[in-house]
Amino acid sequence: MNLLPLAPDGTTPVRVLTIAGTDSGGGAGIQADSRTMAMCGVHACVAVAAVTVQNSVGVSGFHEIPADIVAAQVRSVVGDIGIGAAKTGMLASSAIIEAVAAVCTEVGIGKDQSVPLLVDPVCASMHGDPLLHPEALDAVRHTLIPIATVVTPNLDEVRLITGIDVVDDRTARQAAEALFALGAKWSLVKGGHLRTSTSSTDLLFDGDKFLEFSSSRIETGNDHGGGDTLGAAIVCALANGYSVPDAVEFGKDWVTRCLAASYDLGAGHGPASPLWRLRTNER
């Protein structure tokens, strides 16, 4: 794959921002985002929205950061450092979602603004543990997704947000159309959780055309943080000036390599790992 360009030593790299929750086990969330961003050669800024109590087995609790503090982190970073793209992950509550949407609009992040925004509408962990208060789903639908340059739910999140159970190509297209109808500029329906398929196909839709991005399915139980890794890689490409389709293609190739390099960790699911980048001379 063609990797993103690295800034020469001593020069400022491309900057990106993740607005998300932490993972104390290091597999997903802000930790996965920051790890991927560093390996992609960009400088990662963070706005912490929640702190989870989490390991490889599951999430046993989380604490929300006050909504005004989440927004203040975004405002502080953008006002001083500047960013080329941003993503959201776990936002936990309606209050945080509304504060993030408002501050993003204020500082020029989002659909049809100068800084593209990827919305990963995190609702639950891969173990099924809730990471979003149920009443916040309406805020995801009607406040967050409408400002998204691209929205990237997994199949469980698609079902919660749209009511569509994706089981094949036809229902994946219906889901992509439903997500687009909520206001996102592009919708990406990720096929990684469709275990009955021998390939992993992600479907991108812009209201006019469908684009498919397929890879061979990596047979591993160590896929914790795979969605975060994909979204972070897409954001890094967007910050480097890639179009949305080209950024999704880059992210798909990146996460496939990360899944192939995944490793055991603890008693549960290990993480998708970008550490393969350290073992390659590709530029």
Side-chain angles (χ1 to χ4, degrees):
M1 66 180 294
N2 293 321
L3 298 177
L4 301 177
L6 298 177
D9 290 347
T11 64
T12 305
V14 169
R15 284 86 63 207
V16 295
L17 171 66
T18 173
I19 311 164
T22 68
D23 176 356
S24 49
I30 277 178
Q31 282 77 1
D33 289 344
S34 298
R35 189 164 54 238
T36 287
M37 290 166 178
M39 289 295 180
C40 283
V42 309
H43 176 86
C45 301
V46 304
V48 180
V51 176
T52 70
V53 181
Q54 184 173 177
N55 56 26
S56 70
V57 177
V59 180
S60 55
F62 65 84
H63 173 73
E64 300 163 30
I65 304 300
D68 61 330
I69 298 299
V70 180
Q73 292 175 79
V74 175
R75 193 178 294 113
S76 178
V77 165
V78 175
D80 172 46
I81 296 170
I83 58 170
K87 76 178 288 286
T88 65
M90 175 191 179
L91 298 183
S93 71
S94 297
I96 293 174
I97 290 168
E98 290 164 2
V100 166
V103 75
C104 283
T105 300
E106 172 192 327
V107 301
I109 298 172
K111 180 181 71 175
D112 300 326
Q113 301 209 60
S114 58
V115 177
L117 175 67
L118 181 146
V119 169
D120 185 1
V122 174
C123 300
S125 75
M126 67 176 299
H127 309 93
D129 303 309
L131 295 174
L132 181 74
H133 293 304
E135 65 272 15
L137 273 173
D138 271 346
V140 170
R141 294 184 188 102
H142 303 304
T143 303
L144 191 60
I145 292 177
I147 67 167
T149 305
V150 56
V151 59
T152 63
N154 63 34
L155 298 188
D156 292 328
E157 291 156 352
V158 165
R159 184 171 57 254
L160 286 171
I161 293 166
T162 70
I164 297 171
D165 190 12
V166 175
V167 295
D168 54 20
D169 180 69
R170 181 183 63 83
T171 49
R173 289 177 179 245
Q174 290 175 347
E177 290 170 340
L179 289 163
F180 177 82
L182 289 173
K185 190 170 185 178
W186 296 80
S187 60
L188 182 69
V189 175
K190 300 181 292 189
H193 287 188
L194 192 58
R195 305 295 185 186
T196 56
S197 176
T198 57
S199 64
S200 174
T201 299
D202 298 346
L203 187 66
L204 183 66
F205 181 60
D206 69 348
D208 178 40
K209 61 183 177 297
F210 292 96
L211 299 173
E212 292 187 354
F213 302 86
S214 292
S215 65
S216 297
R217 182 172 295 279
I218 305 296
E219 295 299 336
T220 178
N222 295 326
D223 53 357
H224 189 41
D228 303 296
T229 299
L230 172 65
I234 293 171
V235 162
C236 291
L238 290 173
N240 273 277
Y242 282 43
S243 67
V244 170
D246 287 346
V248 170
E249 181 177 26
F250 173 81
K252 182 69 170 177
D253 289 345
W254 180 273
V255 74
T256 300
R257 291 202 178 201
C258 292
L259 289 168
S262 64
Y263 52 84
D264 293 338
L265 188 71
H269 295 275
S273 173
L275 297 179
W276 63 266
R277 174 72 195 273
L278 300 176
R279 296 186 292 273
T280 179
N281 293 320
E282 293 180 68
R283 300 289 291 182

